[in-house]
Amino acid sequence: AQKITQTQPGMFVQEKEAVTLDCTYDTSDQSYGLFWYKQPSSGEMIFLIYQGSYDEQNATEGRYSLNFQKARKSANLVISASQLGDSAMYFCAMREAMEYGNKLVFGAGTILRVKS
Amino acid sequence: NAGVTQTPKFRVLKTGQSMTLLCAQDMNHEYMYWYRQDPGMGLRLIHYSVGEGTTAKGEVPDGYNVSRLKKQNFLLGLESAAPSQTSVYFCASSYSIRGEETYEQYFGPGTRLTVT
């Protein structure tokens, strides 16, 4: 079974600074995908970024980048130039193939607070 | 497009009562999922469906039943609610290209259920 570990229950960052949220994963699959989702206080799940296991380049989406280190089995999220609106819970997740379809296996999450 | 919608947004049940959560998507997606989110944990898969008329169990299916009579709707039922089912429930959907499921799951806004 796959497992996602997020070791930082909570993080603080100063507005306009960069922050890294840690994620390590455990899988024996050769093909897999890693995601980051943002959950603001309103509760919805917002997709941020995706990295496939065969992608050689780190994924980037605007201010979000995924620092993918396959040998270390880590997929850290980097948020550059933090904004107050980035305050939220952040989940790392891995796509796990089932007999039909895929499910997402989530970590426990990291709460990020951006200070002004 | 409304995307993925969930009804109701909030509900309080007494132990032993039954209810049905409705998930609807207007994106013609084949795959639909029900997850639950408990405090301090990421989302966990309850049941899923790979097409109209087909359903399968996820990792925490006990106490729940599902049906997918129409492609756009995925219903989650609690026959006899228990306090352990107090949670936030998320529905998600995804689609396939040339028979292969794409990686992104689109989430609904969630239903907050309390069982007293």
Side-chain angles (χ1 to χ4, degrees):
Chain A
Q2 298 179 333
K3 185 178 177 182
I4 296 288
T5 303
Q6 295 180 252
T7 57
Q8 306 154 313
M11 292 280 286
F12 283 95
V13 64
Q14 195 67 36
E15 194 177 10
K16 299 180 184 177
E17 292 186 350
V19 62
T20 297
L21 305 183
D22 295 341
C23 173
T24 58
Y25 60 91
D26 184 24
T27 182
S28 56
D29 293 345
Q30 295 301 309
S31 176
Y32 51 90
L34 295 151
F35 302 75
W36 278 92
Y37 281 86
K38 173 184 178 182
Q39 186 177 44
S41 58
S42 51
E44 71 269 31
M45 296 290 288
I46 302 169
F47 167 74
L48 294 178
I49 198 166
Y50 170 80
Q51 178 87 40
S53 58
Y54 292 118
D55 296 337
E56 293 187 353
Q57 290 201 333
N58 287 343
T60 60
E61 291 285 349
R63 294 186 298 112
Y64 305 107
S65 61
L66 198 153
N67 184 0
F68 182 47
Q69 297 187 43
K70 197 170 182 177
R72 299 178 63 180
K73 293 190 174 181
S74 73
N76 298 339
L77 177 71
V78 180
I79 305 175
S80 63
S82 296
Q83 301 172 356
L84 295 178
D86 293 334
S87 293
M89 175 75 89
Y90 289 81
F91 289 101
C92 180
M94 171 179 280
R95 173 172 52 85
E96 177 177 318
M98 300 183 290
E99 183 178 4
Y100 303 101
N102 299 281
K103 72 172 181 180
L104 295 178
V105 178
F106 285 81
T110 296
I111 298 176
L112 177 67
R113 291 285 177 253
V114 180
K115 300 183 291 185
S116 59
Chain B
N1 278 357
V4 180
T5 58
Q6 293 182 229
T7 309
K9 290 185 169 49
F10 304 94
R11 185 72 185 268
V12 178
L13 286 179
K14 294 188 188 310
T15 297
Q17 288 185 320
S18 64
M19 78 161 294
T20 299
L21 281 67
L22 170 63
C23 175
Q25 52 92 5
D26 60 2
M27 299 173 284
N28 202 34
H29 286 181
E30 295 94 332
Y31 300 85
M32 296 186 76
Y33 303 83
W34 276 108
Y35 293 89
R36 61 176 288 174
Q37 182 182 21
D38 300 306
M41 301 178 71
L43 281 67
R44 292 181 292 166
L45 183 66
I46 304 171
H47 286 281
Y48 66 102
S49 169
V50 300
E52 184 177 324
T54 69
T55 64
K57 294 180 180 179
E59 58 184 300
V60 288
D62 294 342
Y64 305 95
N65 56 75
V66 288
S67 65
R68 188 143 178 230
L69 300 179
K70 295 182 179 180
K71 187 176 184 179
Q72 63 268 34
N73 295 337
F74 194 29
L75 279 61
L76 178 71
L78 287 73
E79 290 187 348
S80 179
S84 61
Q85 294 177 304
T86 294
S87 189
V88 180
Y89 292 85
F90 286 96
C91 177
S93 70
S94 62
Y95 62 98
S96 65
I97 295 178
R98 292 186 292 275
E100 188 164 332
E101 187 186 10
T102 58
Y103 61 78
E104 185 178 348
Q105 293 188 4
Y106 297 75
F107 282 86
T111 294
R112 186 173 295 274
L113 175 67
T114 302
V115 183
T116 61

